[in-house]
Amino acid sequence: MDSITSLSGRFAWAAARVFDGERTLVDHAVLVQDGVISAVLPQHSLPEGVPLRREPDCTLLPGLIDTHVHFMRWQGPLFLAHGVTTVRDVGNDLEWILARRGEWEANLWPRLLCVGPLLDGPGPVHAVVSRGCADAAAALAAVRETAAAGVDGIKLYVGLHREWLPAMVREGQAAGHKVSMHCSGSGVLVAGSAGIDEFFHLDGILADVWPMHPAGWLSAWGRPEFARTLDRQRDVADAIGALGMTATPTLAYWDSQWRIRTADHLGSAAMRHVPTAIIEAQGRQAADPVAAALWQRALRAAQDFVGLLVARGVPLLAGSDVPCGAVPAGLSLWRELSLLVEAGLSPTQALRAATAAAAAFLGQPRLGRLRPGAVADMVLVRGNPMERIPERPDVVAVIRHGTAHRPGCLLAAAAAATATVDNEPWGLQLALHRAASAAAGTR
Ligand SMILES: [Zn+2]
């Protein structure tokens, strides 16, 4: 045990900069007592006799929150190693994820929030992690029963009929939950008019701005014709603002789609910790410069649209969509923050989207902030991320519920945690998708 990991019980951590989830404090310290923050104060006013660690080159931040993941065990230590101390699972087998949610502290995992399965229409896309609904009554029962199971939110999926949405939203919100949606075919505005609180991935925008778009899902965003929808994009961004929706664009997923079509991506340092089974399931593609260029333009178009949302003050949350696109757990949230900054947020605004703003949206006042009464989930990084979001953060330590961990130990734990991939709901789901696309390829 070194001097960092021996810190527990009552201790203080001082850094050149403390980002408290909202603003930056200079030469402050955070005082921790039994896993809870008891004070954030100038270093010179620390009480006597408290074990103190000073980190003059570093910034102390709240543990980050990844608001869009599909949890698997291998991801747990990787999230922590990169300073992500809370994740929201947005689609998984209900029983499985509820059981895992209760185990985070006994494992090297972040805290887990969950929404249960994707609530989808008849014939769900991701059968293993969805609950398909045949009609309006079944859809309403799905919301009621999912809420009663004790989830942290409700997630609606692409196959639901638009007529079902208002009653589903009312049911979920009456149970005290935010209702989020991956809206594709019927568009974001239909969802917003039904009262949906949050939309994922931006792909639903396509139905709103370019209803007659060619097949090819998100790649349509990369076509030259998409740029001609700019006036319509502005109108839709206005409407999203007026509807009070929150957006979680998961730009890291968009980013993955051009990267997995380039030759050197799989050998990159970022991919080192992604299990081969995950890459094989959906990440491994033959290098294809034409498709890569198309997807890269799609990402730029998505970032431009996020810029329109930023200009209208639409709240944004940071989510990566791990393991989709084989994006690496933890590191991809920092990538998401850089992509949000390119789209128009300041680094501080991007960090808020992964800390205080995320916690507020999720109804978790003790997370995402460094203030008295908050749980002591923190990350210490070298340098100043409020000046520039680092591509690969130099994480010195991660404190989860008052106990400090070294990233090196967490990465070693991650390497040992990949054996369970095939036995978990998303492992099974990805294997089914892979088998289906292999069968389609041989027809
Ligand atoms: Zn997702």
Side-chain angles (χ1 to χ4, degrees):
M1 193 173 275
D2 62 25
S3 59
I4 279 186
T5 53
S6 63
L7 287 175
S8 62
R10 186 172 191 235
F11 63 91
W13 212 311
R17 292 157 297 273
V18 172
F19 174 69
D20 69 359
E22 288 290 346
R23 65 208 164 112
T24 303
L25 308 164
V26 176
D27 293 330
H28 271 57
V30 176
L31 192 59
V32 174
Q33 173 84 53
D34 299 325
V36 176
I37 293 171
S38 53
V40 179
L41 67 184
Q43 290 183 28
H44 59 75
S45 40
L46 270 172
E48 297 276 321
V50 179
L52 169 69
R53 243 198 104 89
R54 269 181 218 283
E55 301 287 351
D57 307 327
C58 291
T59 304
L60 190 60
L61 307 110
L64 303 182
I65 302 171
D66 190 332
T67 62
H68 191 120
V69 317
H70 305 279
F71 187 72
M72 302 175 75
R73 289 181 175 90
W74 64 269
Q75 301 160 4
L78 282 179
F79 277 124
L80 282 188
H82 295 94
V84 179
T85 55
T86 300
V87 299
R88 173 178 56 164
D89 184 286
V90 287
N92 220 313
D93 177 81
L94 179 64
E95 306 299 325
W96 188 87
I97 194 64
L98 286 173
R100 300 293 83 71
R101 188 181 62 176
E103 296 174 346
W104 66 272
E105 196 149 22
N107 290 285
L108 289 172
W109 297 348
R111 292 171 201 273
L112 276 167
L113 303 172
C114 69
V115 303
L118 309 169
L119 303 185
D120 205 350
V125 187
H126 308 291
V128 181
V129 293
S130 297
R131 174 165 170 173
C133 305
D135 54 34
L140 207 51
V143 175
R144 189 181 313 122
E145 288 163 23
T146 303
V151 294
D152 305 295
I154 296 291
K155 162 106 175 253
L156 309 188
Y157 209 64
V158 297
L160 293 166
H161 285 286
R162 62 173 75 190
E163 296 79 16
W164 304 351
L165 299 182
M168 294 180 83
V169 171
R170 278 195 301 275
E171 189 76 26
Q173 290 172 345
H177 291 306
K178 291 284 199 318
V179 181
S180 307
M181 185 166 186
H182 180 171
C183 15
S184 198
S186 54
V188 170
L189 298 187
V190 162
S193 305
I196 293 284
D197 295 294
E198 175 194 23
F199 67 98
F200 293 128
H201 308 309
L202 303 177
D203 61 318
I205 301 299
L206 201 56
D208 292 306
V209 304
W210 188 10
M212 304 303 284
H213 66 86
W217 200 50
L218 295 185
S219 62
W221 287 63
R223 290 171 179 265
E225 302 95 305
F226 186 78
R228 289 185 219 133
T229 67
L230 188 56
D231 284 341
R232 182 71 191 133
Q233 289 181 48
R234 289 199 184 96
D235 294 344
V236 170
D238 286 342
I240 288 168
L243 286 163
M245 300 179 89
T246 292
T248 305
T250 66
L251 294 169
Y253 172 80
W254 293 69
D255 185 55
S256 74
Q257 293 306 297
W258 74 269
R259 288 181 187 277
I260 61 178
R261 292 169 170 86
T262 60
D264 50 357
H265 177 60
L266 290 177
S268 68
M271 296 300 286
R272 195 181 305 146
H273 301 289
V274 180
T276 314
I278 298 296
I279 293 171
E280 293 289 344
Q282 60 174 323
R284 196 182 289 280
Q285 305 267 341
D288 182 344
V290 175
L294 177 70
W295 279 93
Q296 200 166 13
R297 286 197 304 274
L299 169 66
R300 297 282 171 264
Q303 288 181 290
D304 289 346
F305 186 78
V306 170
L308 298 179
L309 298 180
V310 171
R312 285 152 182 81
V314 171
L316 295 167
L317 302 183
S320 65
D321 210 7
V322 170
C324 299
V327 297
L331 203 54
S332 57
L333 189 65
W334 290 92
R335 181 79 193 133
E336 181 72 14
L337 298 184
S338 322
L339 292 164
L340 288 170
V341 168
E342 286 175 16
L345 291 187
S346 69
T348 295
Q349 288 173 321
L351 288 164
R352 282 187 199 127
T355 55
F361 182 86
L362 298 170
Q364 299 286 337
R366 301 186 74 207
L367 303 180
R369 300 287 291 266
L370 302 183
R371 61 180 175 186
V375 294
D377 286 358
M378 303 188 273
V379 54
L380 187 71
V381 296
R382 225 172 281 287
N384 184 358
M386 285 76 74
E387 220 157 64
R388 194 180 149 276
I389 302 290
E391 192 155 318
R392 296 182 68 77
D394 186 352
V395 176
V396 176
V398 179
I399 298 131
R400 188 192 67 163
H401 208 176
T403 301
H405 301 270
R406 287 275 195 192
C409 303
L410 295 164
L411 292 176
T418 58
T420 54
V421 165
D422 293 336
N423 304 326
E424 298 179 84
W426 266 92
L428 188 56
Q429 183 61 71
L430 294 173
L432 286 176
H433 286 323
R434 181 179 46 186
S437 54
T442 55
R443 271 204 289 271

